[in-house]
C-alpha cells in the first residue's frame, strides 16, 4: 500500500540551529501539505503545494520557515533559526489533486528544540 | 473562520461499552467533514468523509453521522485496539484548508 514517507522521524536540536524535514508523497499525488501539530492540539496547515507551486502559505512564519518542492515530487521544510516554541510534530500529507477529499498523512517528524 | 470543537476531550471505556464522540462545527458553507484516527506518535489515518446532513458511514465498530451543526462518531462494543485520538476536521467551499479540532482521546480498558 502506498504511503507518505517522512524523515527523520525524530530530531533534537538546540535553539538558533537550522533543521530540515523531508517528505515524499504518495506517487502521483499532485498536492502536498505540511502541517504542525502541537501536543494536545489538532494539526494546523503551514503550507500547501500544487505540483511545484505554493497555493497557500498564509500560516507559515516566513521569517524563519521555508518550504520547497522543486520538481513537484518530494518536499523539504526548513526552520532557521529554531526556537523553543517550534517543538512539535511536523506532518506531511498528500492528496491526488487540489480539492480532493482524502488527505493521506505520513508518520511525522517529532522536533524537540532545547 | 472555520471552527471545530470536539467533546469530550478524553474518554475511558470498558471493553464492550458503546459510546459517542461529538464534533461541533462552524463553517460558512460545508464542503466536507472528515474523521481521522491518530495513534500516539503517528500521523492521522483517514476514516470517513461526510458531505450532507443525514449522511452516515460505517467501518467495523465505528459509525459516523452528520447534522447541520455537528457530527457524531459512535463506537459500538469497543475493543482495546480502538484506543486512539479521534480527530474531526471540516473544509468549507472555496477553501482547501482543513480546520481540525483538538481531538477526542479514547482509552478502552480490557
Amino acid at each position: 500500500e502506498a504511503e507518505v514517507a517522512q524523515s527523520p522521524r525524530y530530531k533534537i536540536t538546540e535553539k538558533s540551529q537550522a533543521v530540515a524535514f523531508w517528505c515524499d508523497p504518495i506517487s502521483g499525488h499532485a498536492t502536498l501539505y505540511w502541517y504542525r501539530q502541537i501536543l494536545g492540539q489538532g494539526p494546523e496547515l503551514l503550507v500547501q503545494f500544487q505540483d511545484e507551486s505554493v497555493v497557500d502559505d498564509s500560516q507559515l512564519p516566513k521569517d524563519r520557515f521555508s518550504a520547497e518542492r522543486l520538481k513537484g515530487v518530494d518536499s523539504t521544510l526548513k526552520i532557521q533559526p529554531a526556537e523553543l516554541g517550534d517543538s512539535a510534530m511536523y506532518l506531511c500529507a498528500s492528496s491526488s489533486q487540489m480539492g480532493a477529499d482524502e488527505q493521506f498523512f505520513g508518520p511525522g517528524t517529532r522536533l524537540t528544540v532545547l | 473562520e472555520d471552527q471545530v470543537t470536539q467533546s469530550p476531550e478524553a474518554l475511558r471505556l470498558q471493553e464492550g461499552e458503546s459510546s459517542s464522540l461529538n464534533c461541533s462545527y462552524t463553517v460558512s458553507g460545508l464542503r466536507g467533514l472528515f474523521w481521522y484516527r491518530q495513534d500516539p506518535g503517528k500521523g492521522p489515518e483517514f476514516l470517513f468523509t461526510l458531505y450532507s446532513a443525514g449522511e452516515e458511514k460505517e467501518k467495523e465498530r465505528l459509525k459516523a453521522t452528520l447534522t447541520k451543526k455537528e457530527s457524531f462518531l459512535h463506537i459500538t462494543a469497543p475493543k482495546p485496539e480502538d484506543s486512539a485520538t479521534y480527530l474531526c476536521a471540516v473544509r468549507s467551499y472555496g477553501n482547501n484548508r482543513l480546520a481540525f479540532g483538538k481531538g477526542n482521546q479514547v482509552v478502552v480498558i480490557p
Side-chain angles (χ1 to χ4, degrees):
Chain A
E1 183 175 313
E3 295 181 341
V4 176
Q6 289 188 249
S7 67
R9 292 294 312 279
Y10 305 93
K11 179 70 178 179
I12 299 174
T13 191
E14 294 184 343
K15 63 180 181 179
S16 79
Q17 296 298 303
V19 293
F21 313 131
W22 177 80
C23 172
D24 191 13
I26 293 172
S27 178
H29 278 196
T31 310
L32 184 147
Y33 311 82
W34 283 102
Y35 288 87
R36 177 169 60 185
Q37 185 176 25
I38 296 170
L39 195 63
Q41 306 289 318
E44 292 183 310
L45 182 70
L46 292 174
V47 61
Q48 177 186 342
F49 289 91
Q50 177 66 23
D51 298 312
E52 67 276 8
S53 300
V54 173
V55 296
D56 186 353
D57 64 355
S58 58
Q59 301 301 308
L60 188 70
K62 299 181 187 64
D63 56 335
R64 298 185 300 108
F65 286 65
S66 64
E68 61 183 15
R69 193 184 183 198
L70 293 176
K71 297 183 178 180
V73 181
D74 58 337
S75 175
T76 301
L77 178 70
K78 297 179 181 178
I79 309 174
Q80 183 173 16
E83 296 181 352
L84 296 178
D86 296 331
S87 294
M89 175 78 88
Y90 289 82
L91 294 163
C92 179
S94 69
S95 61
S96 58
Q97 59 187 3
M98 193 162 59
D101 292 326
E102 298 178 9
Q103 293 185 19
F104 297 92
F105 285 81
T109 296
R110 169 69 66 187
L111 173 67
T112 302
V113 182
L114 303 176
Chain B
E1 181 178 335
D2 301 341
Q3 292 190 338
V4 175
T5 302
Q6 294 187 245
S7 62
E9 290 185 7
L11 187 64
R12 289 172 63 91
L13 299 171
Q14 289 293 134
E15 184 172 0
E17 177 188 2
S18 300
S19 188
S20 296
L21 312 177
N22 178 264
C23 170
S24 297
Y25 63 90
T26 304
V27 295
S28 54
L30 182 68
R31 172 172 172 159
L33 184 140
F34 307 85
W35 283 99
Y36 286 83
R37 169 192 170 126
Q38 187 172 28
D39 293 310
K42 297 186 177 181
E45 174 189 349
F46 174 79
L47 292 174
F48 305 110
T49 307
L50 301 168
Y51 295 101
S52 57
E55 188 174 2
E56 300 181 351
K57 287 193 176 174
E58 290 188 63
K59 180 179 181 180
E60 296 181 354
R61 294 175 293 281
L62 302 177
K63 179 180 178 180
T65 62
L66 181 65
T67 73
K68 290 186 178 180
K69 294 184 177 181
E70 57 193 351
S71 176
F72 292 93
L73 185 65
H74 307 279
I75 310 177
T76 302
K79 298 182 178 182
E81 53 262 43
D82 295 322
S83 298
T85 295
Y86 292 88
L87 295 167
C88 176
V90 296
R91 176 188 285 151
S92 55
Y93 282 103
N95 187 355
N96 288 316
R97 176 189 301 266
L98 288 181
F100 281 88
K102 293 182 178 181
N104 306 100
Q105 185 179 26
V106 175
V107 175
V108 182
I109 303 164

